[in-house]
Amino acid sequence: MGILTSTKRTQPTGGPRSAYDDDFAGPATLARRMRLLLPTDQRKVYWDWLVVVIVLWNVFMIPFSFGFGLVWQAGAGLEAVDWIVDILFLVDMVINFRTAYYEDDGSIVLEYARIRQRYLRTYFFFDLAATIPFDRFIELGGVSASEATLVGLAKLPRLLRLSRLMKKFDEFAAAKALRIIVAVIGIILAAHWVACIWFMIGSRRLPPLVCEGECREGDLPGSSYSWVDRMQIRDTGLDVQYFASLYWALTMVIKSPWLAPAPV
C-alpha cells in the first residue's frame, strides 16, 4: 500500500472484509485503520492551531524572560505552563510521525516509512531542538539572580518552531484581511522584541556617570549612564519599565518622530 489517490472504484458489498476492500477503501477509512491522521482531519487542524498558539506564547514570553529576567521571576503558574509547553511539543513530534501528507500531484501518502523519512528530512531536528528543555538543565546546575538572563536565552531554540507558524499563516495568504492582521501582529511582536532587548541593555550596571564640566539636563552624576537611569525607572514597577521600553521600541519600529533616550 503506497500512495493513494482520490480515484474511487466500485467496492463489492457483503461478505467479510478482504484485501480488495483495503485496496479500494477511501483514504479516510485506511488512515483510520492504520491509526494515522490525515492533514485535513479536524482533530489535526485543531491541534495545529493549538501549536500555533503555543508558538505565539513563546514568541512573546521568551524575549520577556531574558529582557526583564533581572527584575521579574516567573511564578508557579508560569512554571507549570512552561512544563506543559515542553510536553505538548513532545506530543506534537509523535503526532507528526503519525500524520499522512499530500504529494505535489495531490495524492496522499499513507505509508509509515515514507511519512517517517519525510518528517526526518524536514522539521524533525528543528522540532527536537525546540523540545529539549535546555533552560531546565541550566536551572538544575543552579543559577544566581544575575544569571537569570541566561535561562531566558536558553529558551531561544523553542523559536525554531516559527517555521511552522509561518507555514500556517501562508495558508491564508489569499485573504487580504488576514494578511493585514498578520502584518499588525508582526509589527507588535517586533516592537515587543526590541523593547525587551532595549531594556536588557539599559538595565546593565555601567560605570557611574562623570560629567565633564556642566552636566546636561537629565544627567544624574554618580549614576549608571544608561537610559533606564536617565528616565529613573530602574526602581519602578515592571509595568512602567515594560511600557516605557515598548514606547521607545514602537517609535523605532514604525519610524515615527521621537526623542531617543540617552545612549546606553
Side-chain angles (χ1 to χ4, degrees), residues 129-185:
T131 304
I132 297 175
F134 295 103
D135 53 314
R136 306 296 176 195
F137 298 147
I138 294 176
E139 289 174 348
L140 288 175
V143 292
S144 63
S146 60
E147 296 172 321
T149 298
L150 182 61
V151 176
L153 291 173
K155 297 179 181 180
L156 284 176
R158 290 184 181 182
L159 298 180
L160 290 173
R161 284 181 176 261
L162 272 173
S163 58
R164 194 76 59 82
L165 177 64
M166 301 310 298
K167 181 180 178 181
K168 193 67 177 177
F169 284 156
D170 283 344
E171 297 178 7
F172 303 99
K176 293 184 178 180
L178 284 175
R179 290 175 65 183
I180 294 174
I181 294 174
V182 171
V184 171
I185 292 175

Side-chain angles (χ1 to χ4, degrees), residues 63-234:
F64 195 85
S65 64
F66 69 70
F68 294 85
L70 294 178
V71 296
W72 171 77
Q73 295 296 325
L78 289 178
E79 285 292 333
V81 171
D82 260 3
W83 279 106
I84 293 173
V85 167
D86 291 336
I87 294 171
L88 290 179
F89 277 172
L90 183 60
V91 172
D92 183 59
M93 292 184 65
V94 176
I95 290 176
N96 285 323
F97 275 117
R98 309 290 297 183
T99 302
Y101 67 92
Y102 287 102
E103 293 279 23
D104 293 336
D105 60 1
S107 58
I108 189 167
V109 175
L110 294 171
E111 204 174 340
Y112 291 129
R114 297 185 63 181
I115 293 172
R116 180 176 62 251
Q117 291 171 5
R118 180 177 182 268
Y119 184 43
L120 290 173
R121 289 196 311 266
T122 53
Y123 293 108
F124 173 75
F125 291 103
F126 294 102
D127 290 350
L128 180 62
T131 304
I132 297 175
F134 295 103
D135 53 314
R136 306 296 176 195
F137 298 147
I138 294 176
E139 289 174 348
L140 288 175
V143 292
S144 63
S146 60
E147 296 172 321
T149 298
L150 182 61
V151 176
L153 291 173
K155 297 179 181 180
L156 284 176
R158 290 184 181 182
L159 298 180
L160 290 173
R161 284 181 176 261
L162 272 173
S163 58
R164 194 76 59 82
L165 177 64
M166 301 310 298
K167 181 180 178 181
K168 193 67 177 177
F169 284 156
D170 283 344
E171 297 178 7
F172 303 99
K176 293 184 178 180
L178 284 175
R179 290 175 65 183
I180 294 174
I181 294 174
V182 171
V184 171
I185 292 175
I187 292 174
I188 293 174
L189 289 177
H192 173 70
W193 271 78
V194 172
C196 294
I197 296 173
W198 190 245
F199 185 82
M200 180 183 68
I201 297 172
S203 62
R204 301 296 97 178
R205 291 288 182 180
L206 300 175
L209 171 65
V210 177
C211 299
E212 295 182 2
E214 186 177 352
C215 290
R216 295 179 302 170
E217 181 181 357
D219 286 340
L220 302 174
S223 67
S224 173
Y225 192 60
S226 75
W227 75 270
V228 171
D229 292 304
R230 288 176 61 84
M231 294 187 66
Q232 302 181 38
I233 63 172
R234 184 179 294 276

